[in-house]
Amino acid sequence: MSSQGTCLPDDSMWQEFKLPELLFSDAIKQQHATIENEWDSLRRSACQTAAARALWKHAIHDPFAELLAGETYLRSLYEKIKNDRLNNAREISGVILAVRTLWFDTKLEAALNSFKSKESQLVLLGAGMDMRAYRLSCLRESDVFEIDFPEVLQKKTNILQAALDSSKDHQTTKVMAKSLTKVAADVRDDDWFKKLQMAGFVPQKNTVWILEGILYYLSHSQAMQVLKIIADSCALAHTVLLADFMNESSTTLSSSIFHFYSDWPDQLLPSLGFTHVALSQLGDPDAHFGLMNDPLSLFNKLRRLPRTVQTNPDDGTPCCRLYLVQASGSPKHTTS
């Protein structure tokens, strides 16, 4: 992360809103028109995440985030950010997604460095518009697998290809990882892990699993099945899980979209077989990146309240928390 990512930008940073010319090419406009007309809220969340990465570019280097987000989501988030700045809001829209991205990036690199063998695997469940395989140099020795709905994977491929066709710089879409394999599968189904193995995933190889912005869209049984499959891999190889969890109060933000929650993921994961679990909240020392320094922000207020408190005593609102969790296990620590 650059030194620019250690502080909030001034107002002039947010005023520099200029969409890239490529976004208005017929090929890319057509791709985003399909997203607008055919995708549901779960699939569209991939574009919303990309928009946050694009507009928080002072902290995150993701050169294709604008093209993958699309005009609709970029303009929508920019307007929210502009209003937040005008109203002197303590939390600027998109900051949660920015911090979440940086947390996953940082923990991923640390996990890869912890492996004794340089050769490793990264699995991105619900990869969406994720570009880590293209932008993170720490993946040079890693085989990356992106799992998502076939139409989401194809849409990202189409947008990147359209950008490549329209650009003179053919290095812009170069994969930085050792390899990148796209696996068309729905993690809500029983066969996603089989499809992953058929695509070349090796259960005996050290692996990092990233579940960013996906678990709470699943039902309880679906999420538990996914977590159990990953936990079982600890018996075969050094396995690191990086995931974000909503608490129960957070699911009330949209009861029709969010389903799975865990108020105590640091207790849940050991019960499944992980031997080392660390939990962070937004604003913690490893989860703010200079973007959440205001001690009176909502996130810092929540950190000071016991996790058992469900209602904020200041204003009676639900204590909506997002937990960033790292869990790991390896064969030598696995008990039968």
Side-chain angles (χ1 to χ4, degrees), residues 216 245-255 258-263 302 310 318-323:
Y216 24 86
F245 290 76
M246 282 185 172
N247 69 342
E248 183 175 8
S249 294
S250 293
T251 61
T252 63
L253 295 172
S254 181
S255 58
F258 303 133
H259 307 290
F260 176 73
Y261 65 86
S262 177
D263 288 287
L302 286 176
Q310 297 293 327
C319 291
C320 298
R321 302 175 189 264
L322 184 72
Y323 298 122

mmCIF file with all atom_site columns, all heavy atoms in Angstrom, residues 216 245-255 258-263 302 310 318-323:
data_model
loop_
_atom_site.group_PDB
_atom_site.id
_atom_site.type_symbol
_atom_site.label_atom_id
_atom_site.label_alt_id
_atom_site.label_comp_id
_atom_site.label_asym_id
_atom_site.label_entity_id
_atom_site.label_seq_id
_atom_site.pdbx_PDB_ins_code
_atom_site.Cartn_x
_atom_site.Cartn_y
_atom_site.Cartn_z
_atom_site.occupancy
_atom_site.B_iso_or_equiv
_atom_site.pdbx_formal_charge
_atom_site.auth_seq_id
_atom_site.auth_comp_id
_atom_site.auth_asym_id
_atom_site.auth_atom_id
_atom_site.pdbx_PDB_model_num
ATOM 1   N N   . TYR A 1 216 ? -22.591 -13.678 4.048  1.00 0.00 ? 216 TYR A N   1
ATOM 2   C CA  . TYR A 1 216 ? -23.895 -13.227 4.547  1.00 0.00 ? 216 TYR A CA  1
ATOM 3   C C   . TYR A 1 216 ? -24.988 -13.277 3.493  1.00 0.00 ? 216 TYR A C   1
ATOM 4   O O   . TYR A 1 216 ? -26.164 -13.135 3.808  1.00 0.00 ? 216 TYR A O   1
ATOM 5   C CB  . TYR A 1 216 ? -23.801 -11.819 5.157  1.00 0.00 ? 216 TYR A CB  1
ATOM 6   C CG  . TYR A 1 216 ? -22.673 -10.958 4.663  1.00 0.00 ? 216 TYR A CG  1
ATOM 7   C CD1 . TYR A 1 216 ? -22.799 -10.184 3.521  1.00 0.00 ? 216 TYR A CD1 1
ATOM 8   C CD2 . TYR A 1 216 ? -21.466 -10.914 5.355  1.00 0.00 ? 216 TYR A CD2 1
ATOM 9   C CE1 . TYR A 1 216 ? -21.770 -9.381  3.072  1.00 0.00 ? 216 TYR A CE1 1
ATOM 10  C CE2 . TYR A 1 216 ? -20.418 -10.118 4.918  1.00 0.00 ? 216 TYR A CE2 1
ATOM 11  C CZ  . TYR A 1 216 ? -20.575 -9.343  3.771  1.00 0.00 ? 216 TYR A CZ  1
ATOM 12  O OH  . TYR A 1 216 ? -19.535 -8.559  3.329  1.00 0.00 ? 216 TYR A OH  1
ATOM 13  N N   . PHE A 1 245 ? -17.553 -11.432 8.348  1.00 0.00 ? 245 PHE A N   1
ATOM 14  C CA  . PHE A 1 245 ? -18.802 -11.929 8.921  1.00 0.00 ? 245 PHE A CA  1
ATOM 15  C C   . PHE A 1 245 ? -19.640 -10.754 9.410  1.00 0.00 ? 245 PHE A C   1
ATOM 16  O O   . PHE A 1 245 ? -19.133 -9.832  10.051 1.00 0.00 ? 245 PHE A O   1
ATOM 17  C CB  . PHE A 1 245 ? -18.539 -12.839 10.133 1.00 0.00 ? 245 PHE A CB  1
ATOM 18  C CG  . PHE A 1 245 ? -17.927 -14.167 9.817  1.00 0.00 ? 245 PHE A CG  1
ATOM 19  C CD1 . PHE A 1 245 ? -16.579 -14.271 9.506  1.00 0.00 ? 245 PHE A CD1 1
ATOM 20  C CD2 . PHE A 1 245 ? -18.682 -15.328 9.866  1.00 0.00 ? 245 PHE A CD2 1
ATOM 21  C CE1 . PHE A 1 245 ? -15.995 -15.502 9.235  1.00 0.00 ? 245 PHE A CE1 1
ATOM 22  C CE2 . PHE A 1 245 ? -18.119 -16.570 9.605  1.00 0.00 ? 245 PHE A CE2 1
ATOM 23  C CZ  . PHE A 1 245 ? -16.771 -16.652 9.287  1.00 0.00 ? 245 PHE A CZ  1
ATOM 24  N N   . MET A 1 246 ? -20.913 -10.795 9.142  1.00 0.00 ? 246 MET A N   1
ATOM 25  C CA  . MET A 1 246 ? -21.851 -9.864  9.750  1.00 0.00 ? 246 MET A CA  1
ATOM 26  C C   . MET A 1 246 ? -22.344 -10.428 11.075 1.00 0.00 ? 246 MET A C   1
ATOM 27  O O   . MET A 1 246 ? -22.486 -11.642 11.221 1.00 0.00 ? 246 MET A O   1
ATOM 28  C CB  . MET A 1 246 ? -23.068 -9.645  8.840  1.00 0.00 ? 246 MET A CB  1
ATOM 29  C CG  . MET A 1 246 ? -22.853 -8.710  7.686  1.00 0.00 ? 246 MET A CG  1
ATOM 30  S SD  . MET A 1 246 ? -24.426 -8.459  6.790  1.00 0.00 ? 246 MET A SD  1
ATOM 31  C CE  . MET A 1 246 ? -23.941 -7.162  5.647  1.00 0.00 ? 246 MET A CE  1
ATOM 32  N N   . ASN A 1 247 ? -22.640 -9.533  12.029 1.00 0.00 ? 247 ASN A N   1
ATOM 33  C CA  . ASN A 1 247 ? -23.339 -9.995  13.218 1.00 0.00 ? 247 ASN A CA  1
ATOM 34  C C   . ASN A 1 247 ? -24.844 -9.964  12.928 1.00 0.00 ? 247 ASN A C   1
ATOM 35  O O   . ASN A 1 247 ? -25.275 -9.512  11.859 1.00 0.00 ? 247 ASN A O   1
ATOM 36  C CB  . ASN A 1 247 ? -22.976 -9.153  14.443 1.00 0.00 ? 247 ASN A CB  1
ATOM 37  C CG  . ASN A 1 247 ? -23.526 -7.731  14.361 1.00 0.00 ? 247 ASN A CG  1
ATOM 38  O OD1 . ASN A 1 247 ? -23.884 -7.242  13.293 1.00 0.00 ? 247 ASN A OD1 1
ATOM 39  N ND2 . ASN A 1 247 ? -23.578 -7.048  15.498 1.00 0.00 ? 247 ASN A ND2 1
ATOM 40  N N   . GLU A 1 248 ? -25.648 -10.449 13.860 1.00 0.00 ? 248 GLU A N   1
ATOM 41  C CA  . GLU A 1 248 ? -27.083 -10.574 13.598 1.00 0.00 ? 248 GLU A CA  1
ATOM 42  C C   . GLU A 1 248 ? -27.726 -9.224  13.308 1.00 0.00 ? 248 GLU A C   1
ATOM 43  O O   . GLU A 1 248 ? -28.565 -9.098  12.407 1.00 0.00 ? 248 GLU A O   1
ATOM 44  C CB  . GLU A 1 248 ? -27.780 -11.238 14.787 1.00 0.00 ? 248 GLU A CB  1
ATOM 45  C CG  . GLU A 1 248 ? -29.271 -11.476 14.550 1.00 0.00 ? 248 GLU A CG  1
ATOM 46  C CD  . GLU A 1 248 ? -29.942 -12.231 15.677 1.00 0.00 ? 248 GLU A CD  1
ATOM 47  O OE1 . GLU A 1 248 ? -29.293 -12.455 16.725 1.00 0.00 ? 248 GLU A OE1 1
ATOM 48  O OE2 . GLU A 1 248 ? -31.120 -12.620 15.508 1.00 0.00 ? 248 GLU A OE2 1
ATOM 49  N N   . SER A 1 249 ? -27.321 -8.187  14.035 1.00 0.00 ? 249 SER A N   1
ATOM 50  C CA  . SER A 1 249 ? -27.917 -6.866  13.837 1.00 0.00 ? 249 SER A CA  1
ATOM 51  C C   . SER A 1 249 ? -27.686 -6.352  12.424 1.00 0.00 ? 249 SER A C   1
ATOM 52  O O   . SER A 1 249 ? -28.530 -5.653  11.852 1.00 0.00 ? 249 SER A O   1
ATOM 53  C CB  . SER A 1 249 ? -27.343 -5.866  14.851 1.00 0.00 ? 249 SER A CB  1
ATOM 54  O OG  . SER A 1 249 ? -27.728 -6.208  16.165 1.00 0.00 ? 249 SER A OG  1
ATOM 55  N N   . SER A 1 250 ? -26.543 -6.693  11.826 1.00 0.00 ? 250 SER A N   1
ATOM 56  C CA  . SER A 1 250 ? -26.222 -6.196  10.488 1.00 0.00 ? 250 SER A CA  1
ATOM 57  C C   . SER A 1 250 ? -27.162 -6.743  9.425  1.00 0.00 ? 250 SER A C   1
ATOM 58  O O   . SER A 1 250 ? -27.427 -6.078  8.414  1.00 0.00 ? 250 SER A O   1
ATOM 59  C CB  . SER A 1 250 ? -24.774 -6.540  10.126 1.00 0.00 ? 250 SER A CB  1
ATOM 60  O OG  . SER A 1 250 ? -23.869 -5.833  10.938 1.00 0.00 ? 250 SER A OG  1
ATOM 61  N N   . THR A 1 251 ? -27.662 -7.943  9.623  1.00 0.00 ? 251 THR A N   1
ATOM 62  C CA  . THR A 1 251 ? -28.549 -8.534  8.624  1.00 0.00 ? 251 THR A CA  1
ATOM 63  C C   . THR A 1 251 ? -29.867 -7.775  8.515  1.00 0.00 ? 251 THR A C   1
ATOM 64  O O   . THR A 1 251 ? -30.564 -7.873  7.507  1.00 0.00 ? 251 THR A O   1
ATOM 65  C CB  . THR A 1 251 ? -28.843 -10.014 8.930  1.00 0.00 ? 251 THR A CB  1
ATOM 66  O OG1 . THR A 1 251 ? -29.493 -10.115 10.205 1.00 0.00 ? 251 THR A OG1 1
ATOM 67  C CG2 . THR A 1 251 ? -27.549 -10.826 8.956  1.00 0.00 ? 251 THR A CG2 1
ATOM 68  N N   . THR A 1 252 ? -30.211 -6.978  9.540  1.00 0.00 ? 252 THR A N   1
ATOM 69  C CA  . THR A 1 252 ? -31.440 -6.188  9.486  1.00 0.00 ? 252 THR A CA  1
ATOM 70  C C   . THR A 1 252 ? -31.329 -5.032  8.495  1.00 0.00 ? 252 THR A C   1
ATOM 71  O O   . THR A 1 252 ? -32.342 -4.419  8.144  1.00 0.00 ? 252 THR A O   1
ATOM 72  C CB  . THR A 1 252 ? -31.799 -5.628  10.878 1.00 0.00 ? 252 THR A CB  1
ATOM 73  O OG1 . THR A 1 252 ? -30.751 -4.728  11.305 1.00 0.00 ? 252 THR A OG1 1
ATOM 74  C CG2 . THR A 1 252 ? -31.934 -6.736  11.897 1.00 0.00 ? 252 THR A CG2 1
ATOM 75  N N   . LEU A 1 253 ? -30.114 -4.736  8.031  1.00 0.00 ? 253 LEU A N   1
ATOM 76  C CA  . LEU A 1 253 ? -29.932 -3.683  7.034  1.00 0.00 ? 253 LEU A CA  1
ATOM 77  C C   . LEU A 1 253 ? -30.671 -4.025  5.741  1.00 0.00 ? 253 LEU A C   1
ATOM 78  O O   . LEU A 1 253 ? -31.099 -3.149  5.001  1.00 0.00 ? 253 LEU A O   1
ATOM 79  C CB  . LEU A 1 253 ? -28.445 -3.466  6.753  1.00 0.00 ? 253 LEU A CB  1
ATOM 80  C CG  . LEU A 1 253 ? -27.621 -2.938  7.929  1.00 0.00 ? 253 LEU A CG  1
ATOM 81  C CD1 . LEU A 1 253 ? -26.138 -2.965  7.582  1.00 0.00 ? 253 LEU A CD1 1
ATOM 82  C CD2 . LEU A 1 253 ? -28.056 -1.525  8.303  1.00 0.00 ? 253 LEU A CD2 1
ATOM 83  N N   . SER A 1 254 ? -30.788 -5.327  5.468  1.00 0.00 ? 254 SER A N   1
ATOM 84  C CA  . SER A 1 254 ? -31.562 -5.794  4.319  1.00 0.00 ? 254 SER A CA  1
ATOM 85  C C   . SER A 1 254 ? -31.890 -7.259  4.538  1.00 0.00 ? 254 SER A C   1
ATOM 86  O O   . SER A 1 254 ? -31.165 -8.146  4.100  1.00 0.00 ? 254 SER A O   1
ATOM 87  C CB  . SER A 1 254 ? -30.784 -5.619  3.009  1.00 0.00 ? 254 SER A CB  1
ATOM 88  O OG  . SER A 1 254 ? -31.570 -6.047  1.915  1.00 0.00 ? 254 SER A OG  1
ATOM 89  N N   . SER A 1 255 ? -33.003 -7.495  5.211  1.00 0.00 ? 255 SER A N   1
ATOM 90  C CA  . SER A 1 255 ? -33.366 -8.867  5.585  1.00 0.00 ? 255 SER A CA  1
ATOM 91  C C   . SER A 1 255 ? -33.663 -9.737  4.376  1.00 0.00 ? 255 SER A C   1
ATOM 92  O O   . SER A 1 255 ? -33.607 -10.964 4.457  1.00 0.00 ? 255 SER A O   1
ATOM 93  C CB  . SER A 1 255 ? -34.576 -8.851  6.523  1.00 0.00 ? 255 SER A CB  1
ATOM 94  O OG  . SER A 1 255 ? -35.677 -8.194  5.900  1.00 0.00 ? 255 SER A OG  1
ATOM 95  N N   . PHE A 1 258 ? -29.490 -10.270 3.110  1.00 0.00 ? 258 PHE A N   1
ATOM 96  C CA  . PHE A 1 258 ? -28.528 -10.851 4.042  1.00 0.00 ? 258 PHE A CA  1
ATOM 97  C C   . PHE A 1 258 ? -29.192 -11.920 4.911  1.00 0.00 ? 258 PHE A C   1
ATOM 98  O O   . PHE A 1 258 ? -30.276 -11.705 5.456  1.00 0.00 ? 258 PHE A O   1
ATOM 99  C CB  . PHE A 1 258 ? -27.921 -9.757  4.935  1.00 0.00 ? 258 PHE A CB  1
ATOM 100 C CG  . PHE A 1 258 ? -27.246 -8.655  4.163  1.00 0.00 ? 258 PHE A CG  1
ATOM 101 C CD1 . PHE A 1 258 ? -27.491 -7.324  4.465  1.00 0.00 ? 258 PHE A CD1 1
ATOM 102 C CD2 . PHE A 1 258 ? -26.378 -8.949  3.119  1.00 0.00 ? 258 PHE A CD2 1
ATOM 103 C CE1 . PHE A 1 258 ? -26.878 -6.304  3.754  1.00 0.00 ? 258 PHE A CE1 1
ATOM 104 C CE2 . PHE A 1 258 ? -25.756 -7.942  2.398  1.00 0.00 ? 258 PHE A CE2 1
ATOM 105 C CZ  . PHE A 1 258 ? -26.011 -6.619  2.715  1.00 0.00 ? 258 PHE A CZ  1
ATOM 106 N N   . HIS A 1 259 ? -28.530 -13.051 5.050  1.00 0.00 ? 259 HIS A N   1
ATOM 107 C CA  . HIS A 1 259 ? -29.118 -14.180 5.766  1.00 0.00 ? 259 HIS A CA  1
ATOM 108 C C   . HIS A 1 259 ? -28.178 -14.725 6.852  1.00 0.00 ? 259 HIS A C   1
ATOM 109 O O   . HIS A 1 259 ? -28.495 -14.688 8.029  1.00 0.00 ? 259 HIS A O   1
ATOM 110 C CB  . HIS A 1 259 ? -29.489 -15.286 4.778  1.00 0.00 ? 259 HIS A CB  1
ATOM 111 C CG  . HIS A 1 259 ? -30.352 -14.818 3.659  1.00 0.00 ? 259 HIS A CG  1
ATOM 112 N ND1 . HIS A 1 259 ? -31.681 -14.451 3.838  1.00 0.00 ? 259 HIS A ND1 1
ATOM 113 C CD2 . HIS A 1 259 ? -30.094 -14.632 2.339  1.00 0.00 ? 259 HIS A CD2 1
ATOM 114 C CE1 . HIS A 1 259 ? -32.197 -14.057 2.691  1.00 0.00 ? 259 HIS A CE1 1
ATOM 115 N NE2 . HIS A 1 259 ? -31.259 -14.160 1.756  1.00 0.00 ? 259 HIS A NE2 1
ATOM 116 N N   . PHE A 1 260 ? -27.020 -15.221 6.458  1.00 0.00 ? 260 PHE A N   1
ATOM 117 C CA  . PHE A 1 260 ? -26.107 -15.835 7.422  1.00 0.00 ? 260 PHE A CA  1
ATOM 118 C C   . PHE A 1 260 ? -25.421 -14.770 8.283  1.00 0.00 ? 260 PHE A C   1
ATOM 119 O O   . PHE A 1 260 ? -25.039 -13.710 7.785  1.00 0.00 ? 260 PHE A O   1
ATOM 120 C CB  . PHE A 1 260 ? -25.042 -16.659 6.690  1.00 0.00 ? 260 PHE A CB  1
ATOM 121 C CG  . PHE A 1 260 ? -23.999 -17.246 7.610  1.00 0.00 ? 260 PHE A CG  1
ATOM 122 C CD1 . PHE A 1 260 ? -24.299 -18.315 8.436  1.00 0.00 ? 260 PHE A CD1 1
ATOM 123 C CD2 . PHE A 1 260 ? -22.719 -16.711 7.650  1.00 0.00 ? 260 PHE A CD2 1
ATOM 124 C CE1 . PHE A 1 260 ? -23.343 -18.853 9.294  1.00 0.00 ? 260 PHE A CE1 1
ATOM 125 C CE2 . PHE A 1 260 ? -21.746 -17.247 8.495  1.00 0.00 ? 260 PHE A CE2 1
ATOM 126 C CZ  . PHE A 1 260 ? -22.066 -18.313 9.317  1.00 0.00 ? 260 PHE A CZ  1
ATOM 127 N N   . TYR A 1 261 ? -25.282 -15.066 9.537  1.00 0.00 ? 261 TYR A N   1
ATOM 128 C CA  . TYR A 1 261 ? -24.556 -14.171 10.440 1.00 0.00 ? 261 TYR A CA  1
ATOM 129 C C   . TYR A 1 261 ? -23.878 -14.993 11.526 1.00 0.00 ? 261 TYR A C   1
ATOM 130 O O   . TYR A 1 261 ? -24.220 -16.166 11.754 1.00 0.00 ? 261 TYR A O   1
ATOM 131 C CB  . TYR A 1 261 ? -25.500 -13.142 11.087 1.00 0.00 ? 261 TYR A CB  1
ATOM 132 C CG  . TYR A 1 261 ? -26.527 -13.765 12.011 1.00 0.00 ? 261 TYR A CG  1
ATOM 133 C CD1 . TYR A 1 261 ? -26.233 -14.014 13.355 1.00 0.00 ? 261 TYR A CD1 1
ATOM 134 C CD2 . TYR A 1 261 ? -27.788 -14.129 11.539 1.00 0.00 ? 261 TYR A CD2 1
ATOM 135 C CE1 . TYR A 1 261 ? -27.164 -14.614 14.193 1.00 0.00 ? 261 TYR A CE1 1
ATOM 136 C CE2 . TYR A 1 261 ? -28.723 -14.712 12.370 1.00 0.00 ? 261 TYR A CE2 1
ATOM 137 C CZ  . TYR A 1 261 ? -28.410 -14.949 13.693 1.00 0.00 ? 261 TYR A CZ  1
ATOM 138 O OH  . TYR A 1 261 ? -29.327 -15.544 14.518 1.00 0.00 ? 261 TYR A OH  1
ATOM 139 N N   . SER A 1 262 ? -22.923 -14.376 12.178 1.00 0.00 ? 262 SER A N   1
ATOM 140 C CA  . SER A 1 262 ? -22.299 -14.985 13.355 1.00 0.00 ? 262 SER A CA  1
ATOM 141 C C   . SER A 1 262 ? -21.815 -13.874 14.269 1.00 0.00 ? 262 SER A C   1
ATOM 142 O O   . SER A 1 262 ? -21.000 -13.038 13.868 1.00 0.00 ? 262 SER A O   1
ATOM 143 C CB  . SER A 1 262 ? -21.121 -15.888 12.969 1.00 0.00 ? 262 SER A CB  1
ATOM 144 O OG  . SER A 1 262 ? -20.498 -16.407 14.140 1.00 0.00 ? 262 SER A OG  1
ATOM 145 N N   . ASP A 1 263 ? -22.339 -13.843 15.467 1.00 0.00 ? 263 ASP A N   1
ATOM 146 C CA  . ASP A 1 263 ? -21.891 -12.858 16.447 1.00 0.00 ? 263 ASP A CA  1
ATOM 147 C C   . ASP A 1 263 ? -20.544 -13.240 17.045 1.00 0.00 ? 263 ASP A C   1
ATOM 148 O O   . ASP A 1 263 ? -19.842 -12.385 17.578 1.00 0.00 ? 263 ASP A O   1
ATOM 149 C CB  . ASP A 1 263 ? -22.934 -12.717 17.559 1.00 0.00 ? 263 ASP A CB  1
ATOM 150 C CG  . ASP A 1 263 ? -24.188 -11.993 17.077 1.00 0.00 ? 263 ASP A CG  1
ATOM 151 O OD1 . ASP A 1 263 ? -24.120 -10.771 16.873 1.00 0.00 ? 263 ASP A OD1 1
ATOM 152 O OD2 . ASP A 1 263 ? -25.231 -12.654 16.886 1.00 0.00 ? 263 ASP A OD2 1
ATOM 153 N N   . LEU A 1 302 ? -18.378 1.568   18.149 1.00 0.00 ? 302 LEU A N   1
ATOM 154 C CA  . LEU A 1 302 ? -18.771 0.165   18.284 1.00 0.00 ? 302 LEU A CA  1
ATOM 155 C C   . LEU A 1 302 ? -17.642 -0.670  18.882 1.00 0.00 ? 302 LEU A C   1
ATOM 156 O O   . LEU A 1 302 ? -17.887 -1.591  19.666 1.00 0.00 ? 302 LEU A O   1
ATOM 157 C CB  . LEU A 1 302 ? -19.173 -0.403  16.926 1.00 0.00 ? 302 LEU A CB  1
ATOM 158 C CG  . LEU A 1 302 ? -20.526 0.033   16.367 1.00 0.00 ? 302 LEU A CG  1
ATOM 159 C CD1 . LEU A 1 302 ? -20.734 -0.530  14.970 1.00 0.00 ? 302 LEU A CD1 1
ATOM 160 C CD2 . LEU A 1 302 ? -21.655 -0.426  17.286 1.00 0.00 ? 302 LEU A CD2 1
ATOM 161 N N   . GLN A 1 310 ? -26.205 -5.322  21.796 1.00 0.00 ? 310 GLN A N   1
ATOM 162 C CA  . GLN A 1 310 ? -26.874 -5.354  20.502 1.00 0.00 ? 310 GLN A CA  1
ATOM 163 C C   . GLN A 1 310 ? -27.473 -4.012  20.100 1.00 0.00 ? 310 GLN A C   1
ATOM 164 O O   . GLN A 1 310 ? -27.733 -3.783  18.921 1.00 0.00 ? 310 GLN A O   1
ATOM 165 C CB  . GLN A 1 310 ? -27.987 -6.415  20.520 1.00 0.00 ? 310 GLN A CB  1
ATOM 166 C CG  . GLN A 1 310 ? -27.495 -7.839  20.733 1.00 0.00 ? 310 GLN A CG  1
ATOM 167 C CD  . GLN A 1 310 ? -26.674 -8.348  19.564 1.00 0.00 ? 310 GLN A CD  1
ATOM 168 O OE1 . GLN A 1 310 ? -26.904 -7.992  18.409 1.00 0.00 ? 310 GLN A OE1 1
ATOM 169 N NE2 . GLN A 1 310 ? -25.686 -9.189  19.845 1.00 0.00 ? 310 GLN A NE2 1
ATOM 170 N N   . PRO A 1 318 ? -29.387 -0.361  16.198 1.00 0.00 ? 318 PRO A N   1
ATOM 171 C CA  . PRO A 1 318 ? -28.735 -1.672  16.282 1.00 0.00 ? 318 PRO A CA  1
ATOM 172 C C   . PRO A 1 318 ? -27.216 -1.546  16.119 1.00 0.00 ? 318 PRO A C   1
ATOM 173 O O   . PRO A 1 318 ? -26.744 -0.713  15.339 1.00 0.00 ? 318 PRO A O   1
ATOM 174 C CB  . PRO A 1 318 ? -29.350 -2.447  15.113 1.00 0.00 ? 318 PRO A CB  1
ATOM 175 C CG  . PRO A 1 318 ? -30.617 -1.736  14.799 1.00 0.00 ? 318 PRO A CG  1
ATOM 176 C CD  . PRO A 1 318 ? -30.363 -0.295  15.089 1.00 0.00 ? 318 PRO A CD  1
ATOM 177 N N   . CYS A 1 319 ? -26.481 -2.350  16.826 1.00 0.00 ? 319 CYS A N   1
ATOM 178 C CA  . CYS A 1 319 ? -25.016 -2.368  16.709 1.00 0.00 ? 319 CYS A CA  1
ATOM 179 C C   . CYS A 1 319 ? -24.634 -3.249  15.524 1.00 0.00 ? 319 CYS A C   1
ATOM 180 O O   . CYS A 1 319 ? -24.455 -4.469  15.673 1.00 0.00 ? 319 CYS A O   1
ATOM 181 C CB  . CYS A 1 319 ? -24.377 -2.889  17.993 1.00 0.00 ? 319 CYS A CB  1
ATOM 182 S SG  . CYS A 1 319 ? -24.536 -1.767  19.402 1.00 0.00 ? 319 CYS A SG  1
ATOM 183 N N   . CYS A 1 320 ? -24.555 -2.649  14.351 1.00 0.00 ? 320 CYS A N   1
ATOM 184 C CA  . CYS A 1 320 ? -24.228 -3.398  13.137 1.00 0.00 ? 320 CYS A CA  1
ATOM 185 C C   . CYS A 1 320 ? -22.712 -3.513  13.004 1.00 0.00 ? 320 CYS A C   1
ATOM 186 O O   . CYS A 1 320 ? -22.034 -2.519  12.772 1.00 0.00 ? 320 CYS A O   1
ATOM 187 C CB  . CYS A 1 320 ? -24.832 -2.706  11.920 1.00 0.00 ? 320 CYS A CB  1
ATOM 188 S SG  . CYS A 1 320 ? -26.634 -2.596  11.952 1.00 0.00 ? 320 CYS A SG  1
ATOM 189 N N   . ARG A 1 321 ? -22.212 -4.720  13.139 1.00 0.00 ? 321 ARG A N   1
ATOM 190 C CA  . ARG A 1 321 ? -20.766 -4.945  13.120 1.00 0.00 ? 321 ARG A CA  1
ATOM 191 C C   . ARG A 1 321 ? -20.373 -5.805  11.930 1.00 0.00 ? 321 ARG A C   1
ATOM 192 O O   . ARG A 1 321 ? -21.120 -6.681  11.502 1.00 0.00 ? 321 ARG A O   1
ATOM 193 C CB  . ARG A 1 321 ? -20.307 -5.638  14.416 1.00 0.00 ? 321 ARG A CB  1
ATOM 194 C CG  . ARG A 1 321 ? -20.645 -4.891  15.700 1.00 0.00 ? 321 ARG A CG  1
ATOM 195 C CD  . ARG A 1 321 ? -20.249 -5.710  16.903 1.00 0.00 ? 321 ARG A CD  1
ATOM 196 N NE  . ARG A 1 321 ? -20.731 -5.144  18.161 1.00 0.00 ? 321 ARG A NE  1
ATOM 197 C CZ  . ARG A 1 321 ? -20.005 -4.361  18.957 1.00 0.00 ? 321 ARG A CZ  1
ATOM 198 N NH1 . ARG A 1 321 ? -18.767 -4.067  18.625 1.00 0.00 ? 321 ARG A NH1 1
ATOM 199 N NH2 . ARG A 1 321 ? -20.509 -3.900  20.086 1.00 0.00 ? 321 ARG A NH2 1
ATOM 200 N N   . LEU A 1 322 ? -19.178 -5.533  11.421 1.00 0.00 ? 322 LEU A N   1
ATOM 201 C CA  . LEU A 1 322 ? -18.575 -6.374  10.402 1.00 0.00 ? 322 LEU A CA  1
ATOM 202 C C   . LEU A 1 322 ? -17.254 -6.883  10.963 1.00 0.00 ? 322 LEU A C   1
ATOM 203 O O   . LEU A 1 322 ? -16.369 -6.092  11.298 1.00 0.00 ? 322 LEU A O   1
ATOM 204 C CB  . LEU A 1 322 ? -18.320 -5.597  9.105  1.00 0.00 ? 322 LEU A CB  1
ATOM 205 C CG  . LEU A 1 322 ? -17.783 -6.440  7.945  1.00 0.00 ? 322 LEU A CG  1
ATOM 206 C CD1 . LEU A 1 322 ? -18.889 -7.346  7.390  1.00 0.00 ? 322 LEU A CD1 1
ATOM 207 C CD2 . LEU A 1 322 ? -17.233 -5.559  6.821  1.00 0.00 ? 322 LEU A CD2 1
ATOM 208 N N   . TYR A 1 323 ? -17.154 -8.189  11.091 1.00 0.00 ? 323 TYR A N   1
ATOM 209 C CA  . TYR A 1 323 ? -15.934 -8.798  11.624 1.00 0.00 ? 323 TYR A CA  1
ATOM 210 C C   . TYR A 1 323 ? -15.034 -9.267  10.487 1.00 0.00 ? 323 TYR A C   1
ATOM 211 O O   . TYR A 1 323 ? -15.492 -9.913  9.541  1.00 0.00 ? 323 TYR A O   1
ATOM 212 C CB  . TYR A 1 323 ? -16.280 -9.994  12.522 1.00 0.00 ? 323 TYR A CB  1
ATOM 213 C CG  . TYR A 1 323 ? -17.107 -9.633  13.735 1.00 0.00 ? 323 TYR A CG  1
ATOM 214 C CD1 . TYR A 1 323 ? -18.353 -10.221 13.941 1.00 0.00 ? 323 TYR A CD1 1
ATOM 215 C CD2 . TYR A 1 323 ? -16.649 -8.711  14.667 1.00 0.00 ? 323 TYR A CD2 1
ATOM 216 C CE1 . TYR A 1 323 ? -19.118 -9.901  15.062 1.00 0.00 ? 323 TYR A CE1 1
ATOM 217 C CE2 . TYR A 1 323 ? -17.410 -8.388  15.780 1.00 0.00 ? 323 TYR A CE2 1
ATOM 218 C CZ  . TYR A 1 323 ? -18.637 -8.985  15.973 1.00 0.00 ? 323 TYR A CZ  1
ATOM 219 O OH  . TYR A 1 323 ? -19.390 -8.657  17.083 1.00 0.00 ? 323 TYR A OH  1
#
